[in-house]
Amino acid sequence: MNNTISIARRAITSIKTHCHIKKGFNITSNVGIRKFSISSCRNMKFVQFIYNEKPNDIRVGYLDGDNVVDINKADSNLPSNLLDILKNGDVEKVKRLKSSNPASVPLSSIKLAAPIHGNDKVLCVGLNYKDHCEEQKLTPPEVPMIFSKFASTIIGQKDAVKLRTDVTDKVDWEVELTVVIGKKASNVKSANAFDYVFGYTVAQDISARDWQKTRNGGQFLLGKSMDTFCPIGPCITTSDEIGDSQNLTIKCSVNGVQKQSSNTNQLVHKIENVIERLSSVMTLLPGDIILTGTPGGVGMYRSPPEYLKPGDLIQSEIQNIGVLETRVEKF
């Protein structure tokens, strides 16, 4: 198999057997009856990409086996980037497009980019995994601890985190389940929060620990927002295909050695409560992303501490989404 296809297939987990069961169908188990909502087996995974021969033209598509459907080429009335699809409310049009079996291109002819770009906000939740609090011997915070990164820090699949080794040698990994907002959200109650979620992706909240903790007065911004410090990808799995977003395995390895392994059921503050809190003080816009926190196993709290260095390869994996591969290079 072509090496490019092989890499892409490893990065993007196929969920061909995953679909929700029709409304009204009950499954009985030893814990009672579960009801499943209606949804077709669409397996929608959105990507952004560039053609090998057009490196400056970012396109939006969805995965179709070992191929990608270029949405704008399949229907020229639809935008060529994901942010505009969300802003225009065109997601359902794209899902209907899939039923017409449009032409696709092989993964070998494209390079995956960040699955969304140009968004307004990158918001993050700190100390939001029970096992991450435990490794620091901290009591979990009573309310979500929110901070932000610059949207300009976003990079995509197999892009490189660039280390400014002249100003820091304490750069750490943090794999995170990331929520992608699908429509404008203001004063949203937790009961309705998932109505505003388009889907989920994988992120690395790369962190310069010295700048996060001591070199900026305790403010996180400079330690979290150095260039390239927000890899995301490889795709966005839509909310109707993710399954239970708060019961997914989440892992991170560096150079093939597993560093983090947990489950999103360890979240201290659940996604719906985070959205309610954020939308009570600001308007969330289509394409905004929320990094929901990292589990235990970060480098800073290992004995002895471990940090990233040029030449490292980070692999960040979340069930039903895929594997985000990130190289580490010197700036």
Side-chain angles (χ1 to χ4, degrees):
M1 177 179 290
N2 179 287
N3 186 54
T4 304
I5 296 178
S6 179
I7 291 171
R9 291 188 69 181
R10 289 200 306 271
I12 303 169
T13 306
S14 174
I15 326 174
K16 293 180 180 177
T17 59
H18 172 73
C19 66
H20 294 288
I21 299 170
K22 290 182 179 180
K23 186 176 182 180
F25 189 93
N26 296 336
I27 291 182
T28 304
S29 70
N30 59 355
V31 294
I33 295 176
R34 296 179 64 195
K35 292 189 176 181
F36 292 79
S37 62
I38 236 172
S39 176
S40 62
C41 192
R42 286 183 289 230
N43 292 329
M44 293 295 287
K45 286 189 170 187
F46 284 78
V47 295
Q48 289 196 143
F49 63 94
I50 56 176
Y51 290 104
N52 293 339
E53 69 275 13
K54 295 181 179 179
N56 297 317
D57 183 18
I58 296 179
R59 312 286 294 180
V60 63
Y62 62 83
L63 296 175
D64 182 16
D66 289 336
N67 298 322
V68 176
V69 173
D70 185 324
I71 291 169
N72 175 256
K73 283 190 175 181
D75 183 347
S76 61
N77 293 314
L78 291 170
S80 59
N81 68 82
L82 183 54
L83 185 60
D84 284 342
I85 285 176
L86 296 180
K87 286 181 176 179
N88 296 347
D90 287 335
V91 174
E92 289 305 316
K93 291 181 181 178
V94 175
K95 291 183 175 181
R96 290 195 295 269
L97 177 67
K98 186 174 182 181
S99 64
S100 67
N101 296 315
S104 60
V105 297
L107 286 168
S108 58
S109 67
I110 62 100
K111 176 183 181 295
L112 292 176
I116 195 161
H117 74 289
N119 45 315
D120 186 64
K121 290 184 281 296
V122 177
L123 300 162
C124 311
V125 189
L127 294 176
N128 203 34
Y129 273 74
K130 297 171 187 176
D131 49 7
H132 185 43
C133 293
E134 288 168 1
E135 71 179 349
Q136 301 177 64
K137 298 180 173 57
L138 295 175
T139 301
E142 293 184 4
V143 297
M145 188 183 81
I146 307 296
F147 60 94
S148 67
K149 300 168 83 84
F150 295 133
S152 61
T153 62
I154 289 175
I155 59 173
Q157 173 78 348
K158 300 190 77 67
D159 288 338
V161 165
K162 305 278 191 175
L163 301 187
R164 294 178 180 263
T165 56
D166 56 330
V167 298
T168 181
D169 61 356
K170 292 180 171 58
V171 177
D172 206 348
W173 56 83
E174 292 190 6
V175 62
E176 310 210 8
L177 175 68
T178 297
V179 175
V180 183
I181 297 297
K183 58 184 178 180
K184 187 181 291 187
S186 181
N187 292 316
V188 172
K189 297 302 181 185
S190 61
N192 303 317
F194 289 108
D195 295 340
Y196 296 84
V197 175
F198 167 62
Y200 301 84
T201 191
V202 184
Q204 264 290 336
D205 180 14
I206 302 294
S207 308
R209 296 301 190 194
D210 46 354
W211 287 87
Q212 175 190 354
K213 300 289 187 179
T214 61
R215 298 184 66 179
N216 192 39
Q219 297 293 318
F220 282 17
L221 183 64
L222 296 185
K224 297 283 189 174
S225 287
M226 294 186 184
D227 296 336
T228 72
F229 270 25
C230 191
I232 63 172
C235 63
I236 296 172
T237 300
T238 53
S239 57
D240 57 345
E241 296 299 334
I242 194 70
D244 183 353
S245 59
Q246 294 174 131
N247 189 19
L248 302 172
T249 57
I250 178 171
K251 300 177 182 179
C252 172
S253 67
V254 179
N255 301 326
V257 179
Q258 186 169 282
K259 302 298 184 181
Q260 295 178 279
S261 180
S262 189
N263 190 291
T264 58
N265 63 19
Q266 292 295 302
L267 287 170
V268 175
H269 299 288
K270 302 302 183 183
I271 291 168
E272 61 269 30
N273 298 321
V274 171
I275 291 174
E276 177 175 338
R277 183 170 177 82
L278 286 169
S279 70
S280 71
V281 298
M282 68 182 72
T283 300
L284 300 176
L285 300 175
D288 285 350
I289 62 175
I290 305 169
L291 282 63
T292 59
T294 197
V298 300
M300 182 179 189
Y301 297 108
R302 291 179 168 269
S303 182
E306 301 174 15
Y307 295 107
L308 295 168
K309 60 187 182 303
D312 286 345
L313 176 66
I314 311 167
Q315 293 178 303
S316 310
E317 180 175 5
I318 298 179
Q319 181 183 359
N320 293 352
I321 302 174
V323 181
L324 171 66
E325 291 192 352
T326 308
R327 294 175 291 111
V328 182
E329 296 179 357
K330 186 174 180 179
F331 189 86

